[in-house]
Amino acid sequence: MMANLQLKPRELKIISVIAATHSIGDAAALLGMAQANVSKYLSDFETRVGLKVFERTTRQLALTQFGEALLPFIDATLDKNTQLINFIADYKHEKRGKVTIYAPTGIVTYLARHVIHKIKEIGDIRLSLKTYNLDRNEFSEGVSFPEDCDILITYAQPKDENLVASVLTQYSVTAFATKDYLNLHPISGPDDLINHSCILIDSMLVDDANIWRFRAHGSEDICDYKVTGNYICDNTQTALELARNNLGIVFAPKESLKKELTHGALVPCFPHQEEWWIDLTAIFRKREYQPWRVQYVLDGILNHLRHKIAQAVHGRPEQDD
């Protein structure tokens, strides 16, 4: 029976104050409670324990022999409880510790190049940047949130509905290749992809092929196309390097290819705007469950990403430090 004894911090605090004041009335006044409630807490405790803590005299309360032995344990427990509360408060509010950010290869590179250095006064926070590329099921079934992750930036919604998903922008994704490749291997539309060497992403492989999705020109209809090729990569950056060397067609977000498109290293494959729009989404735990360090980094990243996106939408050149 004693093994199941539940001790509440509230009643331990009440017993400690009664012991200090030798009076239920004075204890109630100090605790800001009704005297009857203080008496009930004490009575309930003594009934559950099966021992008296105080002897009731006409003028005041005095500790019993059991009460004298019990009080140091109560005070030690309350002190530990205070330390625990202080630790939790400090953990949530101190700007110290590690914050782990996951994102696809291209986004991690973008964060490192354009965003991370804009987060000022980082203090004792340590940032861990990790690569997370989607597998073939996560677009439809939802993305998994790694156990050590604080912020996940990706192209899909979370599998766990308790997480927050904030859409940052939409990315236009389409097919690109070099001019030299297209001169040797002309292509008029997505239907021709089956006859071309496409650079594949390993995580999206189904029966040695990838499925590329396009919205037909001048229509809201979306069509899927099965593509194959000689080269398989585990991230988009490697695929782009192969495409730059005339080895095939790559499927990538336009935002990732600004330099290539500006300098003509890669060009869109189709004369019409055949593309697929995907959401760039930041996923994180609800703010009430986040330490301050995570909130600080999250706000910094989201604010600077949205600023960059707004600049791009309005056609303003990016200002790098």
Side-chain angles (χ1 to χ4, degrees), residues 121-317:
E121 298 177 7
I122 200 166
D124 293 327
I125 296 173
R126 291 174 295 124
L127 282 182
S128 174
L129 299 176
K130 296 189 176 183
T131 302
Y132 189 114
N133 293 310
L134 291 171
D135 68 31
R136 58 180 173 269
N137 298 318
E138 288 184 312
F139 272 114
S140 56
E141 296 177 6
V143 63
S144 298
F145 197 74
E147 283 188 16
D148 65 335
C149 182
D150 293 304
I151 304 164
L152 172 60
I153 299 175
T154 186
Y155 300 114
Q157 290 292 307
K159 191 178 292 184
D160 183 349
E161 294 179 356
N162 293 316
L163 296 167
V164 178
S166 176
V167 176
L168 299 169
T169 188
Q170 283 195 317
Y171 266 124
S172 169
V173 185
T174 190
F176 299 91
T178 60
K179 290 178 181 177
D180 288 344
Y181 176 89
L182 294 175
N183 287 336
L184 291 171
H185 312 280
I187 183 170
S188 59
D191 289 323
D192 292 346
L193 285 168
I194 192 67
N195 302 315
H196 286 262
S197 175
C198 297
I199 299 167
L200 310 180
I201 300 297
D202 180 60
S203 62
M204 305 294 285
L205 279 180
V206 180
D207 298 328
D208 295 326
N210 277 184
I211 303 298
W212 290 0
R213 179 171 290 180
F214 296 91
R215 177 175 283 128
H217 176 65
S219 166
E220 291 298 311
D221 296 335
I222 295 176
C223 299
D224 288 347
Y225 298 88
K226 186 176 181 179
V227 301
T228 58
N230 301 102
Y231 304 99
I232 303 168
C233 304
D234 69 355
N235 65 79
T236 303
Q237 295 303 305
T238 307
L240 290 173
E241 289 295 337
L242 294 176
R244 290 185 193 104
N245 285 315
N246 307 313
L247 294 176
I249 297 172
V250 68
F251 191 61
K254 286 181 182 177
E255 287 294 316
S256 301
L257 277 75
K258 280 187 176 179
K259 282 186 178 178
E260 288 82 355
L261 294 173
T262 300
H263 299 301
L266 292 170
V267 296
C269 290
F270 311 129
H272 299 298
Q273 200 171 15
E274 312 270 2
E275 57 192 2
W276 178 34
W277 288 88
I278 57 176
D279 292 334
L280 180 66
T281 303
I283 299 172
F284 45 89
R285 296 180 186 88
K286 293 177 181 177
R287 286 182 180 265
E288 57 263 37
Y289 301 135
Q290 291 180 5
W292 168 237
R293 66 178 185 276
V294 177
Q295 294 188 41
Y296 186 82
V297 172
L298 175 65
D299 288 339
I301 285 177
L302 295 189
N303 290 341
H304 289 298
L305 270 178
R306 288 186 172 120
H307 178 67
K308 290 286 185 184
I309 290 163
Q311 282 184 328
V313 167
H314 292 96
R316 296 196 299 271

Side-chain angles (χ1 to χ4, degrees), residues 2 45-52:
M2 284 293 104
F45 178 82
E46 290 179 328
T47 299
R48 275 185 292 121
V49 172
L51 292 163
K52 289 290 184 185

Side-chain angles (χ1 to χ4, degrees), residues 18-128:
I18 293 171
T21 60
H22 305 287
S23 164
I24 287 178
D26 291 346
L30 281 172
L31 292 164
M33 296 174 63
Q35 188 168 324
N37 289 343
V38 173
S39 294
K40 188 174 187 318
Y41 267 107
L42 176 59
S43 176
D44 287 349
F45 178 82
E46 290 179 328
T47 299
R48 275 185 292 121
V49 172
L51 292 163
K52 289 290 184 185
V53 181
F54 295 97
E55 294 285 1
R56 290 163 179 80
T57 67
T58 54
R59 304 191 65 177
Q60 63 177 17
L61 296 181
L63 286 165
T64 62
Q65 186 176 357
F66 166 67
E68 291 278 6
L70 175 67
L71 194 62
F73 288 100
I74 287 179
D75 289 340
T77 300
L78 290 172
D79 185 53
K80 286 289 184 186
N81 191 52
T82 301
Q83 290 178 34
L84 177 60
I85 291 168
N86 290 338
F87 163 74
I88 292 170
D90 288 346
Y91 186 86
K92 279 188 71 75
H93 295 103
E94 279 190 357
K95 205 165 70 174
R96 178 188 304 169
K98 186 163 77 170
V99 176
T100 303
I101 304 164
Y102 279 86
T105 311
I107 299 299
V108 168
T109 303
Y110 186 88
L111 291 176
R113 184 177 299 157
H114 297 292
V115 176
I116 296 301
H117 69 285
K118 296 288 184 72
I119 304 174
K120 306 298 184 185
E121 298 177 7
I122 200 166
D124 293 327
I125 296 173
R126 291 174 295 124
L127 282 182
S128 174

